[in-house]
Amino acid sequence: MPKAGERERSKQNLVEQYGAGIQQSFRRISLIELFPNLRSFRKRAPGQLHGLAVAILDEYLSANGWYATVEDGVYDVTYVGLPRSFADLKHAAILKDIERQIQERFAKTSSKAGAQLSHELSRQDFEAMQNGPRPTVVMTLDVPDILFGAPGDGKMLSKRIERTVREVLEEFLAINGFYTRLSKAQILLIFPEISRPLAQMKRDAIANEITRRLNAAGTGKEDSGKGGAAARDPREPDVALAFRTKPSAALVNTWNRAVAEAASKRRQFDPDEARAMPAGWSWSYQPLWRVRNRLLTAYVLRGFSPVADEFRVIAKDTPTKEILIQTDIPGPVDLPLLDLAVQDLHRTMNQGRQAIMIVPVRFATLDRTNLRTLYLHIISQLPQEARKYLVPEIVGVPADLVTFRLEERINQLRPFSRAILIRASLADQRFRQWRNLGLHAVGIDMSQYLGSEADIMAGLEQFAAAAEDARLHTYAYGIPSLSLTTATVVSGIDYVGGDLIAPPTRQPLKVAEFDTDMLYPGNESLAADGTPWRTP
């Protein structure tokens, strides 16, 4: 009987035997990367996983191949002498057998009959997987929102609801999926190596199934899956992508409904309509003054709704009385404004002393697959030279958003822009979390505060101090008065904008000079062509 480790060699030994070229043929097998839910099992049965992996590798590599142990659970494998297609097949077979035997070993050592490895990860393992080498898609599941139509803290969730949620997650994530809990109410799902549309379908199917089971339990009737099922387009993903074993008719119905809903949403999306400016909306550029350089260097492209008060929600429990942004709704003019900025950049690029254009976009817009895809398509049309003058401003970042989801969106925008900004609030406490995201600045729209000037000035000082502590630049625009403009400059904000500095314009002009004494009566702020911005 061959001894354990029969096909194990050091990498140095293999290089000496086969030459330096063999290093290019190594394929890594990492048990924790493949099965991040093994951590608790590994603690309960130390050494078993390594022994299991070594036995499988010895068996499969007995004729063609060797492996080097990097550490327990991590192995570099080479298939010497095999064509690539055969090596691919053998590698896949090894992974499948490791998975099968790990599951069997777990079931034997568990106190529960037929126990399966849970797909719930610790936050540490979830973040390690998300930051690992495998591409992943992360989705949020808000249980109160699914059940009651509104986000909540989870206090109203009964044990029956929690049990049902856990059962559905384990079934639907049995193939290629894991989850972790941010709280009783919020759950993060992670899907390795699948497309975002398919991940969204799986997430929607999970939400549908949770609702269906709880409704069935409440009535004492089980949904057979025959009534009201949405017919699946044969071109759409099959239910086999969601379940390991043959699912019941009810689960097939749930999956097909999610697929049909996703297909319907795609059919309803009209790119041309999404890029059109909605009726009644207006827009203008707000010049920004870079205080240190005494120059108007940038222009913020702002959209104005004809019904500004329709969806206004004011945080009345704060001294500054901030008008809150609905963080779950995409910006209605995000795409039209980007179109305008791109057109203006094309037009003004070769006129000299080109100013920077700042274009707001809601996080919810970037988080919707179809809108984000169109947004990136539009911004990618800019020539490389013009991209140096475009700066996206991310607006409406949800208070409970995990940092890596924000980082993902920033990284998607970065290749097409000079820098990335985030519009925050005066009371924001997240700057330290954002300091490593590669942001240029954080800022505020002062027109969104209805509190007293004294309270807003106090908030400004705290905002500037917090940003400086996180080593981030700062900006503020929409400043309505001379006293607040002065307070903003004194507080150390780097970029400042308001009508008293330079009024809104439909034409993004060139870089222009501006100094502090132009703020006061008897002086003029001049545009780059020498005409007055305003007459005192």
Side-chain angles (χ1 to χ4, degrees), residues 54-127:
V54 164
I56 293 173
L57 289 169
D58 281 339
E59 179 182 0
Y60 277 86
L61 301 177
S62 59
N64 299 88
W66 305 94
Y67 68 92
T69 301
V70 180
E71 60 180 89
D72 280 7
V74 181
Y75 314 94
D76 284 341
V77 182
T78 181
Y79 303 94
V80 179
L82 282 183
R84 185 178 182 87
S85 57
F86 288 161
D88 289 344
L89 289 172
K90 180 167 280 195
H91 194 73
I94 290 173
L95 295 179
K96 288 287 185 184
D97 209 8
I98 288 175
E99 181 182 17
R100 178 184 62 79
Q101 292 198 36
I102 284 176
Q103 184 65 66
E104 290 176 356
R105 186 71 59 89
F106 175 80
K108 288 178 182 178
T109 58
S110 175
S111 58
K112 298 180 180 179
Q116 300 286 306
L117 274 170
S118 170
H119 286 73
E120 182 173 6
L121 304 180
S122 68
R123 288 293 298 279
Q124 176 189 359
D125 288 341
F126 188 95
E127 291 174 5

Side-chain angles (χ1 to χ4, degrees), residues 217-290:
T219 60
K221 298 178 181 179
E222 180 65 19
D223 181 358
S224 67
K226 296 178 181 179
R232 185 182 66 85
D233 186 324
R235 294 169 296 181
E236 296 288 354
D238 187 73
V239 69
L241 291 167
F243 304 98
R244 188 178 302 281
T245 56
K246 185 177 180 180
S248 66
L251 292 182
V252 172
N253 181 34
T254 295
W255 175 254
N256 288 346
R257 187 181 298 122
V259 169
E261 288 172 0
S264 175
K265 289 176 183 176
R266 287 198 300 274
R267 286 193 297 270
Q268 293 169 8
F269 179 68
D270 183 344
D272 292 334
E273 182 180 340
R275 295 173 73 161
M277 185 69 72
W281 280 74
S282 60
W283 58 270
S284 63
Y285 287 96
Q286 170 79 74
L288 276 190
W289 170 33
R290 189 173 189 186

Side-chain angles (χ1 to χ4, degrees), residues 110-228:
S110 175
S111 58
K112 298 180 180 179
Q116 300 286 306
L117 274 170
S118 170
H119 286 73
E120 182 173 6
L121 304 180
S122 68
R123 288 293 298 279
Q124 176 189 359
D125 288 341
F126 188 95
E127 291 174 5
M129 186 176 191
Q130 201 274 335
N131 294 320
R134 303 170 75 190
T136 58
V137 177
V138 175
M139 294 276 172
T140 304
L141 194 72
D142 190 302
V143 179
D145 193 31
I146 293 168
L147 299 179
F148 313 119
D153 57 10
K155 293 180 180 178
M156 74 292 286
L157 301 182
S158 67
K159 289 185 178 179
R160 178 172 66 85
I161 292 176
E162 291 181 24
R163 183 173 62 252
T164 300
V165 170
R166 184 169 55 252
E167 291 170 353
V168 172
L169 287 170
E170 293 294 345
E171 286 184 37
F172 275 72
L173 300 178
I175 287 184
N176 209 29
F178 301 92
Y179 68 96
T180 192
R181 296 179 184 274
L182 295 177
S183 64
K184 289 179 66 176
Q186 278 77 39
I187 297 168
L188 287 181
L189 311 177
I190 187 167
F191 302 98
E193 298 175 352
I194 67 172
S195 67
R196 179 163 287 274
L198 181 55
Q200 183 67 55
M201 289 176 195
K202 293 188 77 168
R203 185 261 175 215
D204 292 346
I206 288 170
N208 287 344
E209 181 62 11
I210 290 170
T211 304
R212 185 192 69 78
R213 289 195 190 183
L214 290 171
N215 288 341
T219 60
K221 298 178 181 179
E222 180 65 19
D223 181 358
S224 67
K226 296 178 181 179

